[in-house]
Amino acid sequence: MLDNVTRDNCIVDIRSLNHFFGSKTLKSQILFDINFSIYSREIVIMTGPSGSGKTTLLTLIGGLRSVQQGSLKFLGQELKGASNQELVHIRRHIGYIFQAHNLLDFLTARQNVQMSMELHKDISEKEACSQSEAMLAAVKLSNRVDYYPSDLSGGQKQRVAIARALVSRPKLVLADEPTAALDSKTGRDVVNLMQQLAYEQHCSILMVTHDNRILDIADRIIHMEDGRLTQQVS
């Protein structure tokens, strides 16, 4: 079962992963022999130049792309060959935070957060609403619950995105450049909040970033270049 974490507390286990774009004469290899794991309550930061394959790896781990070669297991379940239905089920256990907050302008902060609970059919609308408001309070936006994105600052929008990612208590949060559009202080506030809430919820984080100011929150830093993991620092 997906909900049973393996004995060694491994959330993600990747072995000999390769990935390609295009086909035939236009086929190009993007990822080369990727091997690494993420463990429970661990914060891993992935660095590397633009175009090195970081976002591609993130989307594979998140079940947003199909695994082509190698093994990628999430909570012990193999993603290679997984059906669309299985991938949807896997995505229920993963939260996503992007550089662009990706909020829907026509929904309030609460409605944006509540959207991520729609995959959880066992949660009533009333309960989803209550949990969404509680999570917005946790990110210090209880007074902005009914505000639309156009009425929020950049840092507030990213805090709504964090609330949306964490409201369903995922096992893993994938964050792609979450501080890129924020100033130094706001960026630090955002990652400190991610760190605190993930720890409280026993959640792991894999974060892609070019922001050297926030590397200190990581339990481990991995570096990718030209589609290869070239360095892992504890």
Side-chain angles (χ1 to χ4, degrees):
M1 291 293 292
L2 185 64
D3 297 312
N4 292 333
V5 180
T6 53
R7 283 183 184 176
D8 60 358
N9 232 12
C10 186
I11 303 297
V12 175
D13 189 44
I14 300 174
R15 294 289 171 259
S16 305
L17 183 71
N18 298 292
H19 197 76
F20 305 83
F21 286 162
S23 59
K24 297 182 179 178
T25 57
L26 297 177
K27 190 174 184 178
S28 175
Q29 188 163 357
I30 304 300
L31 298 178
F32 300 79
D33 193 29
I34 303 296
N35 295 275
F36 87 104
S37 301
I38 301 171
Y39 298 92
S40 178
R41 296 173 74 170
E42 184 179 33
I43 298 178
V44 179
I45 285 182
M46 180 160 50
T47 65
S50 297
S52 59
K54 303 185 302 297
T55 297
T56 299
L57 180 57
L58 216 65
T59 56
L60 285 165
I61 294 172
L64 302 175
R65 279 186 211 276
S66 298
V67 176
Q68 297 171 345
Q69 286 185 5
S71 173
L72 197 167
K73 293 180 180 179
F74 178 74
L75 295 181
Q77 179 168 334
E78 178 62 65
L79 270 64
K80 186 175 188 297
S83 66
N84 286 335
Q85 184 176 1
E86 288 170 329
L87 290 176
V88 167
H89 185 54
I90 285 167
R91 288 196 288 268
R92 292 176 186 169
H93 299 264
I94 301 175
Y96 304 88
I97 303 172
F98 302 99
Q99 176 178 343
H101 44 76
N102 289 355
L103 302 181
L104 295 177
D105 291 336
F106 56 88
L107 297 180
T108 65
R110 178 189 57 77
Q111 290 169 333
N112 267 286
V113 172
Q114 193 170 331
M115 270 191 61
S116 70
M117 304 191 75
E118 290 182 355
L119 288 173
H120 299 263
K121 304 302 183 185
D122 55 328
I123 298 177
S124 69
E125 184 173 352
K126 182 179 180 180
E127 185 180 356
C129 178
S130 175
Q131 289 185 24
S132 299
E133 291 182 359
M135 184 53 67
L136 283 167
V139 299
K140 300 177 175 60
L141 287 177
S142 56
N143 61 340
R144 296 289 190 273
V145 168
D146 294 320
Y147 281 49
Y148 289 90
S150 59
D151 298 318
L152 300 174
S153 69
Q156 289 171 336
K157 290 174 185 175
Q158 200 63 305
R159 280 191 271 160
V160 174
I162 292 171
R164 180 180 58 191
L166 289 168
V167 68
S168 58
R169 295 190 168 268
K171 297 294 185 182
L172 175 68
V173 169
L174 300 175
D176 195 357
E177 299 284 3
T179 65
L182 305 175
D183 61 62
S184 177
K185 182 183 184 305
T186 306
R188 167 56 65 175
D189 290 344
V190 162
V191 295
N192 285 347
L193 191 58
M194 288 172 59
Q195 183 182 33
Q196 173 194 336
L197 293 176
Y199 184 81
E200 289 173 357
Q201 295 192 11
H202 296 197
C203 171
S204 303
I205 296 177
L206 174 61
M207 183 190 307
V208 168
T209 187
H210 287 100
D211 190 348
N212 292 330
R213 301 167 300 183
I214 63 172
L215 299 182
D216 58 295
I217 73 160
D219 297 304
R220 184 158 45 105
I221 299 170
I222 60 177
H223 185 76
M224 179 172 281
E225 195 155 344
D226 297 328
R228 293 176 170 87
L229 290 182
T230 60
Q231 182 182 7
Q232 298 198 32
V233 180
S234 298

